[in-house]
């Protein structure tokens, strides 16, 4: 009887060990599966992050290239505009110079200079203002219109030295240049030239 009981107990122990071993094996398998799943998830996330970063960089590069193209186009347009404006100004200067030369040939320069001499000698602000092209420079200051010139007054325009210099000018010897016709060897002086076909004072210095 005791032998039978001992044999039964041994069998129960063997079955218990077998069950424990099976459960342990299943637990290990589940752990391995979980770890593998985590690794795959991390790989996928890493690939997604790399893909997103690459796409972002590509977009930034495209935007930068577009901005560069737009900037270059704007600079080219500005350069063309500046070039066209410079050409227009050069043509206007040439036209004015040609017109001034023609007026000199016809004696108009001398006659206009005599009008300036008369206005200065009589200290006639109205007469002098009517001979000006606006805007003009007066002692380095820009005068926009006739009213602004008249506001300066006789004391500013008809200084004793300027009156003496203008009176001494030989109008028959006046010569035109790109700057215009200068009445006076240095400062003070009065400069006039042809603007849009009309002679006018452009500087009182």
């Amino acid at each position: 009887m005791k032998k039978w009981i001992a044999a039964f107990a041994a069998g129960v122990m063997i079955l218990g060990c077998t069950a424990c071993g099976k459960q342990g094996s299943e637990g290990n398998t589940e752990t391995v599966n979980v770890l593998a799943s985590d690794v795959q998830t991390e790989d996928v996330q890493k690939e997604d992050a790399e893909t997103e970063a690459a796409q972002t960089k590509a977009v930034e590069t495209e935007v930068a290239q577009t901005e560069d193209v737009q900037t270059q186009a704007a600079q080219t347009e500005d350069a063309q505009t500046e070039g066209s404006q410079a050409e227009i100004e050069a043509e206007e200067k040439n036209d004015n110079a040609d017109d001034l030369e023609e007026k000199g040939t016809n004696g108009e320069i001398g006659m206009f200079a005599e009008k300036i001499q008369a206005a200065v000698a009589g200290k006639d602000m109205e007469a002098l203002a009517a001979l000006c092209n606006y805007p003009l420079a007066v002692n380095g200051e820009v005068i926009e219109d006739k009213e602004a010139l008249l506001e300066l007054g006789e004391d500013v325009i008809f200084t004793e030295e300027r009156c003496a210099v203008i009176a001494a000018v030989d109008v028959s010897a006046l010569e035109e240049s790109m700057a215009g016709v200068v009445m006076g060897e240095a400062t003070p002086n009065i400069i006039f030239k042809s603007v849009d076909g009309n002679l006018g004072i452009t500087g009182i210095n």
Side-chain angles (χ1 to χ4, degrees):
M1 183 65 178
K2 291 181 180 179
K3 292 181 179 180
W4 184 83
I5 292 173
F8 179 76
V12 171
M13 290 178 65
I14 292 171
L15 290 174
C17 290
T18 302
C20 289
K22 184 177 182 181
Q23 290 177 351
S25 176
E26 290 176 353
N28 291 336
T29 301
E30 291 178 357
T31 300
V32 171
N33 290 336
V34 169
L35 292 174
S37 177
D38 290 343
V39 170
Q40 290 176 347
T41 301
E42 290 178 357
D43 289 342
V44 170
Q45 291 176 342
K46 184 177 180 181
E47 290 177 358
D48 291 343
E50 291 176 349
T51 300
E52 183 178 355
Q55 291 174 343
T56 300
K57 186 175 181 180
V59 171
E60 291 175 348
T61 301
E62 184 175 355
V63 169
Q65 291 174 343
T66 302
E67 291 177 349
D68 288 342
V69 171
Q70 292 174 342
T71 300
Q72 291 175 357
Q75 291 175 344
T76 300
E77 184 177 353
D78 290 343
Q80 291 174 343
T81 301
E82 291 176 358
S84 299
Q85 186 63 32
E87 290 176 0
I88 292 173
E89 291 177 356
E91 290 177 358
E92 289 178 349
K93 288 181 179 179
N94 290 334
D95 291 341
N96 291 336
D98 292 341
D99 186 63
L100 188 62
E101 183 178 358
E102 182 180 350
K103 292 182 184 302
T105 303
N106 296 334
E108 292 182 49
I109 287 179
M111 290 187 290
F112 189 81
E114 288 176 350
K115 292 180 181 180
I116 294 175
Q117 284 181 324
V120 172
K123 295 185 178 181
D124 189 340
M125 287 291 295
E126 286 285 348
L128 189 69
L131 298 173
C132 294
N133 276 326
Y134 299 94
L136 77 155
V138 177
N139 298 331
E141 179 183 355
V142 177
I143 304 301
E144 296 292 343
D145 50 37
K146 179 179 178 180
E147 289 71 21
L149 179 62
L150 294 176
E151 287 178 1
L152 292 178
E154 295 180 7
D155 293 340
V156 174
I157 301 300
F158 301 123
T159 63
E160 183 177 349
E161 186 179 5
R162 180 176 289 121
C163 290
V165 167
I166 298 304
V169 172
D170 180 2
V171 296
S172 64
L174 290 175
E175 296 181 356
E176 68 276 1
S177 64
M178 290 300 293
V181 178
V182 182
M183 298 180 67
E185 296 297 329
T187 304
N189 61 48
I190 291 179
I191 301 173
F192 66 89
K193 63 182 179 179
S194 177
V195 178
D196 297 330
N198 297 313
L199 289 175
I201 297 171
T202 56
I204 301 176
N205 306 295

